[in-house]
Amino acid sequence: MTDPVGKIPSELDQLPDRDTEETAEWAASLDAVTKAAGPHRAAYLMRRTLQHAEGAGLALPKLLETDYVNTIPTSAEPVVDGDEELERKITAWNRWNAAAMVTRGAKHGVGGHIATFASAAWLYETGFNHFFKGKEGDGSGDQLYIQGHASPGIYARAFLDGRLNETHLDNFRQESAGQGLPSYPHPRRLPWLWEFPTVSMGLGPLSAIYQARFNRYLTNRSIKDVSASHVWAFLGDGEMDEPESTAALALAAREGLDNLTFVINCNLQRLDGPVRANFKIVQELEAQFRGAGWNVVKSLWGGAWDELFALDTTGALVRRLREVPDAQVQTYQTRDAAYIRQDFFGSDPALVEMAKLLSDDKILECFHLSRGGHEPRKVYAAYKAALEFKGAPTVILAQTVKGFTLGEGFASKNANHQMKKLSVDEFKNMRDLLELPISDAQFVDGVVPYGHPGADSPEVRYLQERRAALGGPAPARRTHALAPLPAPAEKTFAAFDKGSGSQSVATTMAFVRLVKDLVRDKETGKRWVPIVPDEARTFGMESLFPSLGIYSPKGQTYEPVDRDQLMYYKEAVNGQILNEGITEAGSMADFIAAASSYSTHGEAMIPFYIFYSMFGWQRTADQMWQLGDQLGRGFLVGATAGRTTLTGEGLQHADGHSPMIAATNPAALTYDPAFAYEVAAIVKEGLRRMYGEAAEGEDRDVFYYLTVYNEPMPQPAKPSGVDEGIIKGLYRFNTAESAGLELPANAPRIQLLSSGTAIHWALQAQKLLAEEWGVGADVWSATSWTELRRDALEADAALLRGEERIPYVRKALEGVDSPVLAVTDYMRQVPDQIAQWVEQDWSSLGADGFGLSDTREAARRHFGVDAQSIVVASLAQLARRGEVRATSVKEARERYGL
């Protein structure tokens, strides 16, 4: 069915029309324009009308895509506050040295990327000269997320301003020799320069959004006023295909993060070829960002195009620019004027006439050289507009040429991302193009020289003066001399030492109770940052809602449905909890911002991020590496942990491997505590190490991963003398005798090493072994298989240095002459990490394979880790040693139905 005009009905047909005659007149006017001036003129008028309506504040859907032209016309560009000629010279030196360091490094086979910075040089230089605030002024300065492949250009600038020397540049990607430079932005490798690791593409834009959001969080909670800080994220157009790149765009717009600017270098190329060969990536990104609620500024064409746009009286040029696919634009970059005349201008009679007015040189200037991202005035205008726009974040889409100024062999070539060097002749051509005072004689034995105008040159003085006016060098990371945070009251932790008596308490709930007490601490309570991805009620955290509040920059603009209940849903501008919705990636980005606040803002914050353990490391392990790279500190808590404890949820919720994944991260201290008092002891130690009085030589830049369980169990009292073992990873919880079990004289004995919830099955097995088989079992709590392994590896390394050192696990088991059976609710590989350092006979049980939906008991029987399975495995191990009858193993299997 169609309406009287012959069009398909739309949502507008559902709205009452108070004046149908007026509506018909508007439609008739549009039809008349279409007939008289053509559809392009009609479309132009409609776009201008919509833009005018949007500017007037009318509530209309936003126009998602504009013409393929600059947002800011040349006539509206502000005057650049600075010396443009000196800035051109500075940029030329930086272009040269960036290419030189990579080319010189190529002789050692270490690689490097040249083309990215060549395309983005003015995007960075304009910011460094005019916009990026340093850390030596008021506040925290700006946060810069540098595109990873552009790092040579940042090193080149640090060389020019005296922060790096030629030795540093010659050790690009050669760190083991000392004075080396990491390939990409890496705080752990160059902690005085880099703040944010960004080369795992997609994580930079996601982290930048949550960093801007965390800045608002600190300000709104009155921790520190960082409202003057601006977050700049430099990204590639190809990088925007990563799902993390656009995952939080709506959050940034929803919360009005006008302290955030994305600068996307649209050189139309990814690593192997065009980003959108048959389409237009700039237009796609514009629609995506506008649809999400961002302010979009396009800087596509340089000043040379002004003449062409002035000649475009019919709109034919703008239409042609909109329809030409990106791969063809790339081709124009490499072809002569005749080809461009035929292929680009020859498609429309109006363009043919326009081309007759243009010289070949003018055509080549426009299509080869003149891009918005290569002209500092246009970049300056875009940046200024971004900072002045209020109420939403801004994305700048700057069109550039990948490999710009590097010569015809590089510019826009599909392979330029993998091209690591220029020839001497190419460098000489580049020198002439950039007008650098470097003589042929300086190319000694074919080695390209570094260039520097001199420490007292006008260029260097200007650069340093500009940075001084903006608050000091950038990028820069600061390690603040922060006073250790005072330790919370001892009674907070000691409350768990007495156990729970007959009450069953899950370790997840024990952790939540501990946090509830810690956030009440007068000294440090406000520094806790609870982060949860929409599972607070699952973990029993809803009691924190009314007391701490959920952070929202808008506060609570509604009356919650549960307002009359004790634990109602409370949002507040100064709320402490970050309840992120269903996004593990966003929650991790939150955690990273909070975990590195001690450096970024000089404010130590204590984040804890609690999540379904299956959906933490498995889904966001790359961000865990980013956390370690960024020297973050805090507590990651994998709740509802283990493969068999989450009743009925099944395969996709059954975590049997997170401690193994965590073990691969050098910055992660991984613990699998069995009891509430162990949780308290580990958190207490973590607070001391990361935020308190760290021991000499102790690495503070670590984070803790704790697995906690949802299975309620009676919590025992803390035995005496176990604190060292809890932290180091192993202690004897009890013996058969201390458990009150009767044993025959000279009873066979076995050591049951268990972690997390598995210790309860070991304790059941201990009783069965004594009462039914006459076997004595000692039960050990292995709080951290990973820390035991690391200690052993360090002992091995010490031996290679000629030092005598015994691994802690060997010391702990010293004097034990019975076999060891390790039990875990994870795959056997988790405890098997320490097998080679255990001198006793070793075997293990674990939950290997895929999970399944069933009761806890049935799941444990399925994986062979329940108490009866432990008994059979213990008897089998003792039978191999001849300490029990071999027939007892078969008898036990039959008795227990295994």
Side-chain angles (χ1 to χ4, degrees):
M1 177 180 177
T2 58
D3 64 15
V5 189
K7 296 179 180 178
I8 298 173
S10 73
E11 72 278 2
L12 293 178
D13 297 304
Q14 302 175 49
L15 305 177
D17 189 344
R18 293 184 300 176
D19 192 336
T20 56
E21 185 176 346
E22 182 183 36
T23 304
E25 290 176 356
W26 276 74
S29 297
L30 185 62
D31 291 340
V33 171
T34 303
K35 183 177 180 179
H40 298 300
R41 176 61 181 171
Y44 173 81
L45 289 175
M46 286 300 299
R47 288 198 301 271
R48 289 304 297 265
T49 301
L50 287 171
Q51 288 173 343
H52 180 80
E54 183 179 334
L58 298 182
L60 288 174
K62 290 193 175 183
L63 189 66
L64 295 186
E65 186 179 318
T66 60
D67 284 323
Y68 202 64
V69 297
N70 295 348
T71 302
I72 304 171
T74 300
S75 59
E77 291 171 4
V79 176
V80 178
D81 179 22
D83 189 321
E84 295 183 56
E85 178 58 23
L86 278 179
E87 290 180 20
R88 184 196 66 78
K89 291 180 179 180
I90 290 169
T91 304
W93 285 116
N94 291 338
R95 287 183 181 278
W96 176 272
N97 288 322
M101 67 185 294
V102 175
T103 298
R104 287 167 69 128
K107 293 187 176 182
H108 302 287
V110 295
H113 300 284
I114 303 177
T116 294
F117 179 72
S119 67
W122 277 115
L123 302 181
Y124 291 106
E125 291 301 320
T126 303
F128 285 128
N129 288 328
H130 299 281
F131 294 97
F132 303 157
K133 294 188 287 291
K135 297 182 177 299
E136 294 175 2
D138 295 335
S140 300
D142 288 351
Q143 288 81 54
L144 308 180
Y145 288 77
I146 305 295
Q147 191 179 1
H149 294 131
S151 62
I154 309 305
Y155 291 140
R157 193 170 218 274
F159 169 65
L160 204 64
D161 73 8
R163 292 196 291 165
L164 294 176
N165 56 42
E166 288 193 13
T167 302
H168 290 118
L169 300 193
D170 266 344
N171 282 295
F172 174 59
R173 291 192 170 202
Q174 299 174 77
E175 297 178 78
S176 61
Q179 286 194 306
L181 300 178
S183 51
Y184 304 119
H186 208 305
R188 190 167 285 276
R189 290 300 180 206
L190 202 61
W192 59 268
L193 181 72
W194 298 118
E195 279 195 283
F196 308 109
T198 53
V199 85
S200 186
M201 287 188 283
L203 299 189
L206 179 67
S207 293
I209 289 173
Y210 280 90
Q211 181 65 58
R213 199 272 193 107
F214 187 74
N215 289 358
R216 290 279 173 85
Y217 173 87
L218 285 180
T219 300
N220 289 339
R221 288 196 54 221
S222 300
I223 301 292
K224 181 179 182 180
D225 184 356
V226 294
S227 55
S229 291
H230 199 84
V231 178
W232 301 82
F234 289 84
L235 317 167
D237 47 0
E239 179 179 7
M240 299 311 294
D241 283 345
E242 289 284 4
E244 295 90 349
S245 295
T246 55
L249 297 186
L251 166 72
R254 187 167 64 243
E255 299 201 358
L257 297 181
D258 50 23
N259 60 339
L260 170 68
T261 297
F262 276 15
V263 181
I264 302 181
N265 178 15
C266 298
N267 57 36
L268 313 185
Q269 286 186 251
R270 53 189 179 198
L271 307 190
D272 289 329
V275 178
R276 292 290 184 273
N278 296 296
F279 306 94
K280 301 192 79 63
I281 185 60
V282 169
Q283 301 299 86
E284 179 181 319
L285 290 173
E286 178 184 26
Q288 194 169 14
F289 277 88
R290 283 187 182 275
W294 286 53
N295 175 46
V296 179
V297 177
K298 294 197 289 191
S299 183
L300 307 181
W301 307 111
W305 284 82
D306 288 348
E307 180 182 340
L308 276 68
F309 289 126
L311 295 172
D312 185 28
T313 58
T314 66
L317 175 63
V318 173
R319 291 196 301 273
R320 182 64 176 144
L321 289 174
R322 192 166 62 241
E323 70 188 21
V324 175
D326 284 352
Q328 192 63 22
V329 173
Q330 203 174 337
T331 297
Y332 294 149
Q333 178 69 33
T334 65
R335 302 301 291 268
D336 60 20
Y339 177 88
I340 298 171
R341 284 181 186 276
Q342 178 181 352
D343 190 86
F344 182 84
F345 292 98
S347 63
D348 186 293
L351 293 180
V352 172
E353 294 303 312
M354 180 189 294
K356 292 178 181 179
L357 303 175
L358 304 174
S359 67
D360 285 355
D361 286 344
K362 183 64 176 180
I363 289 174
L364 293 179
E365 179 187 13
C366 288
F367 283 85
H368 285 192
L369 303 175
S370 189
R371 299 290 187 274
H374 295 320
E375 296 193 9
R377 288 190 179 189
K378 299 199 177 295
V379 176
Y380 182 94
Y383 286 6
K384 193 169 188 294
L387 290 180
E388 291 175 351
F389 190 88
K390 300 303 177 186
T394 294
V395 59
I396 295 169
L397 303 174
Q399 185 163 263
T400 66
V401 174
K402 194 167 185 177
F404 189 67
T405 73
L406 297 180
E408 295 181 359
F410 263 84
S412 284
K413 294 299 174 67
N414 282 339
N416 61 21
H417 188 79
Q418 302 302 326
M419 297 162 68
K420 312 299 183 185
K421 58 185 178 180
L422 298 175
S423 67
V424 169
D425 286 341
E426 287 172 323
F427 265 109
K428 290 179 178 178
N429 290 335
M430 181 181 176
R431 171 201 61 190
D432 296 340
L433 176 66
L434 298 177
E435 300 178 355
L436 290 172
I438 298 173
S439 67
D440 288 353
Q442 291 177 260
F443 290 82
V444 179
D445 297 327
V447 177
V448 57
Y450 293 121
H452 199 292
D456 197 39
S457 64
E459 295 96 321
V460 173
R461 288 202 307 272
Y462 179 85
L463 182 156
Q464 293 175 342
E465 287 168 2
R466 297 302 300 181
R467 289 311 317 157
L470 286 165
R477 180 179 181 274
R478 290 288 181 266
T479 301
H480 300 267
L482 300 178
L485 295 182
E490 180 63 29
K491 65 179 182 180
T492 304
F493 305 101
F496 295 86
D497 292 352
K498 61 184 179 181
S500 64
S502 59
Q503 182 186 7
S504 292
V505 177
T507 51
T508 297
M509 184 53 63
F511 177 80
V512 172
R513 289 181 182 178
L514 175 62
V515 168
K516 285 177 66 177
D517 290 337
L518 290 171
V519 295
R520 293 193 188 105
D521 184 84
K522 292 182 180 179
E523 296 290 337
T524 60
K526 68 178 182 179
R527 297 191 176 275
W528 283 87
V529 184
I531 302 168
V532 59
D534 200 39
E535 292 282 3
R537 298 184 191 277
T538 300
F539 309 136
M541 292 176 58
E542 65 269 30
S543 61
L544 298 179
F545 288 169
S547 59
L548 300 183
I550 300 167
Y551 172 74
S552 170
K554 290 185 177 295
Q556 194 155 39
T557 60
Y558 59 92
E559 182 177 356
V561 67
D562 53 0
R563 182 63 182 87
D564 57 342
Q565 298 178 15
L566 180 63
M567 293 183 286
Y568 68 95
Y569 196 84
K570 177 187 174 183
E571 296 187 78
V573 172
N574 62 347
Q576 193 164 352
I577 301 170
L578 292 172
N579 191 329
E580 291 304 345
I582 304 175
T583 167
E584 278 82 13
S587 299
M588 266 307 299
D590 255 337
F591 186 90
I592 291 168
S596 52
S597 177
Y598 72 92
S599 173
T600 308
H601 295 299
E603 293 287 344
M605 303 299 287
I606 311 171
F608 80 84
Y609 165 32
I610 186 167
F611 49 86
Y612 253 109
S613 69
M614 182 66 168
F615 306 135
W617 283 89
Q618 175 163 307
R619 297 188 68 173
T620 57
D622 196 12
Q623 289 178 284
M624 311 298 191
W625 275 98
Q626 181 188 9
L627 169 65
D629 290 345
Q630 202 165 311
L631 310 177
R633 305 169 185 171
F635 296 96
L636 297 174
V637 184
T640 59
R643 181 151 278 164
T644 69
T645 61
L646 198 55
T647 310
E649 289 285 2
L651 170 61
Q652 290 185 326
H653 287 65
D655 172 22
H657 49 274
S658 71
M660 199 69 250
I661 303 175
T664 65
N665 191 310
L669 278 61
T670 304
Y671 286 88
D672 186 25
F675 304 123
Y677 66 78
E678 292 178 352
V679 173
I682 294 164
V683 171
K684 177 183 175 182
E685 169 64 10
L687 289 172
R688 180 203 64 79
R689 178 166 177 174
M690 295 184 292
Y691 303 99
E693 296 284 356
E696 184 178 353
E698 195 171 33
D699 185 6
R700 297 168 65 91
D701 299 323
V702 296
F703 60 93
Y704 283 69
Y705 176 51
L706 282 71
T707 49
V708 292
Y709 299 84
N710 70 324
E711 184 175 12
M713 301 293 289
Q715 296 296 325
K718 179 180 177 181
S720 61
V722 300
D723 292 275
E724 180 185 30
I726 292 173
I727 302 308
K728 288 187 174 293
L730 182 68
Y731 68 94
R732 182 155 28 201
F733 175 70
N734 72 6
T735 64
E737 292 79 5
S738 68
L741 299 172
E742 295 185 7
L743 294 170
N746 300 317
R749 188 166 289 270
I750 191 166
Q751 308 299 313
L752 300 179
L753 275 59
S754 50
S755 65
T757 195
I759 201 168
H760 299 290
W761 325 327
L763 289 168
Q764 295 170 30
Q766 179 189 52
K767 185 176 181 181
L768 290 173
L769 282 166
E771 294 178 350
E772 299 185 14
W773 305 97
V775 172
D778 298 343
V779 175
W780 299 67
S781 180
T783 54
S784 180
W785 308 102
T786 303
E787 287 306 295
L788 292 172
R789 175 180 175 79
R790 285 180 178 163
D791 173 80
L793 289 171
E794 291 172 5
D796 286 355
L799 287 173
L800 290 176
R801 297 191 300 266
E803 304 170 16
E804 287 295 328
R805 184 172 162 193
I806 301 172
Y808 177 81
V809 64
R810 194 167 291 168
K811 287 182 188 175
L813 294 170
E814 190 174 11
V816 172
D817 59 1
S818 52
V820 169
L821 173 63
V823 187
T824 179
D825 201 20
Y826 300 93
M827 56 196 299
R828 290 173 58 181
Q829 191 175 351
V830 174
D832 286 349
Q833 292 180 85
I834 66 168
Q836 73 182 81
W837 292 281
V838 175
E839 296 177 316
Q840 293 78 7
D841 290 345
W842 173 274
S843 64
S844 61
L845 294 176
D848 287 79
F850 289 111
L852 75 166
S853 299
D854 215 315
T855 64
R856 293 182 180 119
E857 294 75 15
R860 286 161 190 167
R861 175 57 59 92
H862 170 80
F863 286 111
V865 293
D866 61 351
Q868 292 78 12
S869 298
I870 295 172
V871 170
V872 172
S874 299
L875 294 173
Q877 199 169 359
L878 291 168
R880 285 194 297 271
R881 295 164 56 94
E883 297 181 21
V884 301
R885 293 177 294 107
T887 57
S888 63
V889 180
K890 180 181 179 183
E891 182 183 345
R893 283 202 304 268
E894 292 174 349
R895 181 182 301 182
Y896 301 134
L898 297 176

